[in-house]
Amino acid sequence: MSVLVFIEQREGRVRPVSREALGEATRIAAALGGPVIGVCAAAADPGLAAHTAAIEAAARAVQPGVLLFAASAMGKDLAPRVAARLGVGLASDCTAVETVGGALTATRPVYAGKARQQVRFPRTPALLSLRPKIFAATSKPGASATVEPLEVALPPAPRARVVRHAVAPGAKLDLTESEIIVSGGRGLKGPENFPIVEELAEALGATVGASRAVVDAGWRPHHDQVGQTGKTVSPKLYVAVGISGAIQHLAGMSSSRCIVAINKDPDAPIFKVADYGLVGDLFEVVPALTAEIRKLNVHA
Ligand SMILES: Cc1cc2nc3c(=O)[nH]c(=O)nc-3n(C[C@H](O)[C@H](O)[C@H](O)COP(=O)(O)OP(=O)(O)OC[C@H]3O[C@@H](n4cnc5c(N)ncnc54)[C@H](O)[C@@H]3O)c2cc1C
């Protein structure tokens, strides 16, 4: 049973989220006994409709048992469209996939992360999108693959077209691709205090995130927002500074591998999901932590 993977590229390079999807595809294919087949667009900048047509054509040609997307911004747009075209369901934003006795089961967070749902697939292809930064990326430099062109009848010119991709000013890495994130919340009291968070982030080599409260207050841009109505992130380390841990914030970061919370309120809900909790005044604790990490960096 083959596993088909949609491969996202940007400026001619395979995106890290697709390497993760390929890694998981390899694992599933090994368990189910079949090849991994990737589908990617050869046209320079096709729109959503063209992508949908191409993936549908590939799925009809290959008849895969499993079809994988990354739950990236693009995958979130494409996967439901392809599911509708193929007349199958979709398990979106999966955080685990199991194969037992040739059957696939996916786990995905629901109710803003309050519960986990296990999904089985009565029809093929089993269509899944995978949450970024959860699955191990494929790491076989120099591996080879056969390339087969697939002619696709493209739909009429799209009503919307991607003109260019712009990197957010000052952002080293997109939050969803960051290994370490330091996020600040309303506990910082004002935008003039955000350098406290930025300095810790710099010492750790991290990207800066934010709660919605500070984004709504205009202290940080929306692309920094983590949570239900912001970005879903799963870094190796997530440091929450002055963030209470409202369910809508947890929805975007509770699948992080290690969570450190710094909050002066010992009953703040963020401590329920934290691996390490630091009860204290962030204005004292965070600069001290930054100074210690800088010392470690100097000695490294
Ligand atoms: C439909 C909907 C969608 C939403 N989507 C999102 C979302 O995507 N992301 C998101 O984050 N929120 C979202 N929210 C908002 C969410 O409910 C919370 O209001 C928000 O997360 C609170 O942000 P905060 O933790 O920064 O602020 P607060 O809840 O005000 O928490 C501030 C924390 O800072 C601590 N603190 C204060 N001073 C200090 C100090 N000196 N030292 C240490 N700690 C201190 C306090 O103890 C407190 O815990 C959404 C809400 C709704 C209704």
Side-chain angles (χ1 to χ4, degrees), residues 261-268 271 276-282 284-285:
I262 301 171
N263 199 303
K264 68 176 184 186
D265 174 7
D267 296 323
F271 288 125
Y276 299 94
L278 230 160
V279 179
D281 183 346
L282 72 88
E284 291 168 18
V285 169

Side-chain angles (χ1 to χ4, degrees), residues 16-290:
V17 283
S18 293
R19 289 186 191 281
E20 291 163 23
L22 277 167
E24 187 57 14
T26 309
R27 203 186 60 78
I28 297 170
L32 298 181
V36 175
I37 302 165
V39 52
C40 71
D45 207 352
L48 266 184
H51 267 111
T52 308
I55 300 164
E56 182 192 358
R60 295 205 186 277
V62 168
Q63 296 288 318
V66 182
L67 172 49
L68 293 184
F69 291 82
S72 57
M74 190 177 200
K76 282 178 187 167
D77 269 337
L78 276 174
R81 287 164 187 254
V82 174
R85 293 280 187 94
L86 297 177
V88 294
L90 163 68
S92 60
D93 203 21
C94 298
T95 51
V97 181
E98 281 188 337
T99 42
V100 181
L104 208 67
T105 309
T107 305
R108 54 189 296 271
V110 289
Y111 302 118
K114 269 190 182 158
R116 270 164 214 209
Q117 184 182 56
Q118 290 216 309
V119 185
R120 291 207 186 91
F121 302 86
R123 304 179 64 179
T124 53
L127 217 145
L128 300 83
S129 67
L130 308 179
R131 181 175 283 199
K133 289 273 169 214
I134 297 276
F135 297 90
T138 181
S139 57
K140 276 198 182 166
S144 62
T146 318
V147 179
E148 285 182 27
L150 181 72
E151 293 286 334
V152 181
L154 291 183
R159 275 175 286 177
R161 199 161 62 82
V162 177
V163 181
R164 70 186 175 98
H165 294 281
V167 179
K172 290 185 198 126
L173 249 187
D174 187 90
L175 273 177
T176 56
E177 290 179 3
S178 304
E179 302 269 300
I180 308 177
I181 294 173
V182 181
S183 281
R186 191 148 45 192
L188 280 146
K189 314 281 186 237
E192 67 281 5
N193 295 324
F194 241 85
I196 294 177
V197 165
E198 287 164 349
E199 282 164 23
L200 176 60
E202 200 182 337
L204 286 169
T207 307
V208 174
S211 72
R212 177 165 164 175
V214 309
V215 170
D216 284 353
W219 303 357
R220 299 296 297 185
H222 181 259
H223 58 73
D224 280 2
Q225 186 182 316
V226 172
Q228 191 183 331
T229 44
K231 289 186 175 153
T232 304
V233 298
S234 300
K236 284 189 181 149
L237 174 64
Y238 187 89
V239 185
V241 178
I243 292 179
S244 58
I247 187 70
Q248 296 91 351
H249 188 81
L250 302 187
M253 46 63 75
S254 57
S255 56
S256 304
R257 229 133 334 136
C258 178
I259 298 172
V260 175
I262 301 171
N263 199 303
K264 68 176 184 186
D265 174 7
D267 296 323
I270 191 78
F271 288 125
K272 292 203 178 116
V273 298
D275 299 284
Y276 299 94
L278 230 160
V279 179
D281 183 346
L282 72 88
F283 294 98
E284 291 168 18
V285 169
V286 178
L289 194 59
T290 305

